[in-house]
PDB file of all heavy atoms in Angstrom:
ATOM      1  N   ALA A1050     -31.778  -2.071  -7.480  1.00  0.00           N
ATOM      2  CA  ALA A1050     -31.707  -3.314  -6.771  1.00  0.00           C
ATOM      3  C   ALA A1050     -31.519  -3.010  -5.278  1.00  0.00           C
ATOM      4  O   ALA A1050     -30.522  -3.321  -4.693  1.00  0.00           O
ATOM      5  CB  ALA A1050     -30.570  -4.133  -7.265  1.00  0.00           C
ATOM      6  N   LYS A1051     -32.578  -2.419  -4.724  1.00  0.00           N
ATOM      7  CA  LYS A1051     -32.542  -2.017  -3.321  1.00  0.00           C
ATOM      8  C   LYS A1051     -33.708  -2.579  -2.598  1.00  0.00           C
ATOM      9  O   LYS A1051     -34.807  -2.735  -3.152  1.00  0.00           O
ATOM     10  CB  LYS A1051     -32.592  -0.486  -3.180  1.00  0.00           C
ATOM     11  CG  LYS A1051     -31.345   0.227  -3.605  1.00  0.00           C
ATOM     12  CD  LYS A1051     -31.433   1.686  -3.329  1.00  0.00           C
ATOM     13  CE  LYS A1051     -30.140   2.449  -3.677  1.00  0.00           C
ATOM     14  NZ  LYS A1051     -30.280   3.870  -3.648  1.00  0.00           N
ATOM     15  N   PRO A1052     -33.554  -2.932  -1.298  1.00  0.00           N
ATOM     16  CA  PRO A1052     -34.627  -3.506  -0.539  1.00  0.00           C
ATOM     17  C   PRO A1052     -35.919  -2.665  -0.640  1.00  0.00           C
ATOM     18  O   PRO A1052     -35.841  -1.429  -0.756  1.00  0.00           O
ATOM     19  CB  PRO A1052     -34.122  -3.484   0.929  1.00  0.00           C
ATOM     20  CG  PRO A1052     -32.669  -3.295   0.914  1.00  0.00           C
ATOM     21  CD  PRO A1052     -32.334  -2.729  -0.469  1.00  0.00           C
ATOM     22  N   ARG A1053     -37.048  -3.263  -0.678  1.00  0.00           N
ATOM     23  CA  ARG A1053     -38.393  -2.665  -0.766  1.00  0.00           C
ATOM     24  C   ARG A1053     -38.789  -2.080  -2.133  1.00  0.00           C
ATOM     25  O   ARG A1053     -39.927  -1.963  -2.437  1.00  0.00           O
ATOM     26  CB  ARG A1053     -38.552  -1.480   0.252  1.00  0.00           C
ATOM     27  CG  ARG A1053     -38.454  -1.939   1.722  1.00  0.00           C
ATOM     28  CD  ARG A1053     -38.564  -0.760   2.652  1.00  0.00           C
ATOM     29  NE  ARG A1053     -39.978  -0.279   2.792  1.00  0.00           N
ATOM     30  CZ  ARG A1053     -40.274   0.822   3.357  1.00  0.00           C
ATOM     31  NH1 ARG A1053     -39.362   1.623   3.790  1.00  0.00           N
ATOM     32  NH2 ARG A1053     -41.542   1.160   3.439  1.00  0.00           N
ATOM     33  N   ILE A1054     -37.747  -1.711  -2.946  1.00  0.00           N
ATOM     34  CA  ILE A1054     -38.150  -1.148  -4.221  1.00  0.00           C
ATOM     35  C   ILE A1054     -37.620  -1.967  -5.419  1.00  0.00           C
ATOM     36  O   ILE A1054     -37.624  -1.556  -6.562  1.00  0.00           O
ATOM     37  CB  ILE A1054     -37.779   0.326  -4.391  1.00  0.00           C
ATOM     38  CG1 ILE A1054     -36.209   0.458  -4.246  1.00  0.00           C
ATOM     39  CG2 ILE A1054     -38.458   1.200  -3.371  1.00  0.00           C
ATOM     40  CD1 ILE A1054     -35.757   1.908  -4.618  1.00  0.00           C
ATOM     41  N   ASP A1055     -37.137  -3.207  -5.113  1.00  0.00           N
ATOM     42  CA  ASP A1055     -36.461  -3.972  -6.106  1.00  0.00           C
ATOM     43  C   ASP A1055     -37.497  -4.723  -7.022  1.00  0.00           C
ATOM     44  O   ASP A1055     -37.039  -5.464  -7.954  1.00  0.00           O
ATOM     45  CB  ASP A1055     -35.375  -4.911  -5.565  1.00  0.00           C
ATOM     46  CG  ASP A1055     -36.014  -5.896  -4.592  1.00  0.00           C
ATOM     47  OD1 ASP A1055     -37.270  -5.863  -4.338  1.00  0.00           O
ATOM     48  OD2 ASP A1055     -35.250  -6.790  -4.059  1.00  0.00           O
ATOM     49  N   ASN A1056     -38.729  -4.488  -6.867  1.00  0.00           N
ATOM     50  CA  ASN A1056     -39.645  -5.028  -7.863  1.00  0.00           C
ATOM     51  C   ASN A1056     -40.369  -3.867  -8.615  1.00  0.00           C
ATOM     52  O   ASN A1056     -41.449  -4.064  -9.250  1.00  0.00           O
ATOM     53  CB  ASN A1056     -40.694  -5.917  -7.196  1.00  0.00           C
ATOM     54  CG  ASN A1056     -41.374  -6.852  -8.262  1.00  0.00           C
ATOM     55  OD1 ASN A1056     -40.757  -7.227  -9.248  1.00  0.00           O
ATOM     56  ND2 ASN A1056     -42.636  -7.179  -8.038  1.00  0.00           N
ATOM     57  N   TYR A1057     -39.775  -2.677  -8.576  1.00  0.00           N
ATOM     58  CA  TYR A1057     -40.329  -1.559  -9.240  1.00  0.00           C
ATOM     59  C   TYR A1057     -39.419  -1.051 -10.358  1.00  0.00           C
ATOM     60  O   TYR A1057     -38.228  -1.224 -10.355  1.00  0.00           O
ATOM     61  CB  TYR A1057     -40.445  -0.388  -8.221  1.00  0.00           C
ATOM     62  CG  TYR A1057     -41.723  -0.523  -7.395  1.00  0.00           C
ATOM     63  CD1 TYR A1057     -41.626  -1.281  -6.162  1.00  0.00           C
ATOM     64  CD2 TYR A1057     -42.906   0.139  -7.691  1.00  0.00           C
ATOM     65  CE1 TYR A1057     -42.744  -1.351  -5.347  1.00  0.00           C
ATOM     66  CE2 TYR A1057     -43.984   0.062  -6.878  1.00  0.00           C
ATOM     67  CZ  TYR A1057     -43.965  -0.733  -5.802  1.00  0.00           C
ATOM     68  OH  TYR A1057     -45.039  -0.814  -4.948  1.00  0.00           O
ATOM     69  N   LEU A1058     -40.054  -0.446 -11.356  1.00  0.00           N
ATOM     70  CA  LEU A1058     -39.367   0.255 -12.365  1.00  0.00           C
ATOM     71  C   LEU A1058     -39.687   1.714 -12.319  1.00  0.00           C
ATOM     72  O   LEU A1058     -40.829   2.144 -12.020  1.00  0.00           O
ATOM     73  CB  LEU A1058     -39.822  -0.268 -13.801  1.00  0.00           C
ATOM     74  CG  LEU A1058     -39.466  -1.690 -14.096  1.00  0.00           C
ATOM     75  CD1 LEU A1058     -40.150  -2.160 -15.346  1.00  0.00           C
ATOM     76  CD2 LEU A1058     -37.950  -1.944 -14.156  1.00  0.00           C
ATOM     77  N   ARG A1059     -38.669   2.578 -12.557  1.00  0.00           N
ATOM     78  CA  ARG A1059     -38.955   4.047 -12.640  1.00  0.00           C
ATOM     79  C   ARG A1059     -38.834   4.378 -14.088  1.00  0.00           C
ATOM     80  O   ARG A1059     -37.785   4.154 -14.736  1.00  0.00           O
ATOM     81  CB  ARG A1059     -37.925   4.829 -11.830  1.00  0.00           C
ATOM     82  CG  ARG A1059     -38.350   6.255 -11.710  1.00  0.00           C
ATOM     83  CD  ARG A1059     -37.143   7.141 -11.185  1.00  0.00           C
ATOM     84  NE  ARG A1059     -36.154   7.254 -12.237  1.00  0.00           N
ATOM     85  CZ  ARG A1059     -35.007   7.886 -12.081  1.00  0.00           C
ATOM     86  NH1 ARG A1059     -34.587   8.244 -10.867  1.00  0.00           N
ATOM     87  NH2 ARG A1059     -34.129   7.977 -13.040  1.00  0.00           N
ATOM     88  N   ILE A1060     -39.973   4.859 -14.631  1.00  0.00           N
ATOM     89  CA  ILE A1060     -40.078   5.153 -16.122  1.00  0.00           C
ATOM     90  C   ILE A1060     -40.316   6.614 -16.318  1.00  0.00           C
ATOM     91  O   ILE A1060     -41.314   7.145 -15.930  1.00  0.00           O
ATOM     92  CB  ILE A1060     -41.222   4.295 -16.754  1.00  0.00           C
ATOM     93  CG1 ILE A1060     -41.040   2.794 -16.387  1.00  0.00           C
ATOM     94  CG2 ILE A1060     -41.285   4.571 -18.202  1.00  0.00           C
ATOM     95  CD1 ILE A1060     -42.149   1.928 -16.899  1.00  0.00           C
ATOM     96  N   THR A1061     -39.343   7.267 -16.995  1.00  0.00           N
ATOM     97  CA  THR A1061     -39.540   8.689 -17.278  1.00  0.00           C
ATOM     98  C   THR A1061     -40.581   8.833 -18.384  1.00  0.00           C
ATOM     99  O   THR A1061     -40.629   8.032 -19.273  1.00  0.00           O
ATOM    100  CB  THR A1061     -38.196   9.228 -17.796  1.00  0.00           C
ATOM    101  OG1 THR A1061     -37.131   8.952 -16.884  1.00  0.00           O
ATOM    102  CG2 THR A1061     -38.330  10.732 -18.123  1.00  0.00           C
ATOM    103  N   ILE A1062     -41.376   9.913 -18.246  1.00  0.00           N
ATOM    104  CA  ILE A1062     -42.408  10.208 -19.314  1.00  0.00           C
ATOM    105  C   ILE A1062     -41.680  10.765 -20.495  1.00  0.00           C
ATOM    106  O   ILE A1062     -40.998  11.749 -20.470  1.00  0.00           O
ATOM    107  CB  ILE A1062     -43.370  11.240 -18.741  1.00  0.00           C
ATOM    108  CG1 ILE A1062     -44.165  10.729 -17.520  1.00  0.00           C
ATOM    109  CG2 ILE A1062     -44.411  11.582 -19.886  1.00  0.00           C
ATOM    110  CD1 ILE A1062     -44.923   9.439 -17.698  1.00  0.00           C
ATOM    111  N   GLY A1063     -41.802  10.064 -21.630  1.00  0.00           N
ATOM    112  CA  GLY A1063     -41.203  10.560 -22.885  1.00  0.00           C
ATOM    113  C   GLY A1063     -42.236  11.235 -23.783  1.00  0.00           C
ATOM    114  O   GLY A1063     -43.336  11.572 -23.273  1.00  0.00           O
ATOM    115  N   THR A1064     -41.918  11.356 -25.006  1.00  0.00           N
ATOM    116  CA  THR A1064     -42.874  11.847 -25.990  1.00  0.00           C
ATOM    117  C   THR A1064     -43.943  10.763 -26.218  1.00  0.00           C
ATOM    118  O   THR A1064     -43.678   9.615 -25.964  1.00  0.00           O
ATOM    119  CB  THR A1064     -42.230  12.159 -27.336  1.00  0.00           C
ATOM    120  OG1 THR A1064     -41.684  10.928 -27.875  1.00  0.00           O
ATOM    121  CG2 THR A1064     -41.177  13.242 -27.247  1.00  0.00           C
ATOM    122  N   PRO A1065     -45.116  11.141 -26.719  1.00  0.00           N
ATOM    123  CA  PRO A1065     -46.108  10.048 -27.061  1.00  0.00           C
ATOM    124  C   PRO A1065     -45.496   8.978 -27.853  1.00  0.00           C
ATOM    125  O   PRO A1065     -45.809   7.791 -27.652  1.00  0.00           O
ATOM    126  CB  PRO A1065     -47.261  10.860 -27.780  1.00  0.00           C
ATOM    127  CG  PRO A1065     -47.138  12.206 -27.169  1.00  0.00           C
ATOM    128  CD  PRO A1065     -45.728  12.466 -26.926  1.00  0.00           C
ATOM    129  N   ALA A1066     -44.682   9.339 -28.923  1.00  0.00           N
ATOM    130  CA  ALA A1066     -44.102   8.269 -29.754  1.00  0.00           C
ATOM    131  C   ALA A1066     -43.200   7.364 -29.041  1.00  0.00           C
ATOM    132  O   ALA A1066     -43.215   6.138 -29.166  1.00  0.00           O
ATOM    133  CB  ALA A1066     -43.276   8.946 -30.904  1.00  0.00           C
TER     134      ALA A1066
END
Side-chain angles (χ1 to χ4, degrees):
K1051 287 186 181 171
R1053 295 177 77 193
I1054 57 170
D1055 59 0
N1056 200 30
Y1057 281 85
L1058 296 172
R1059 192 194 71 188
I1060 304 175
T1061 305
I1062 302 297
T1064 60

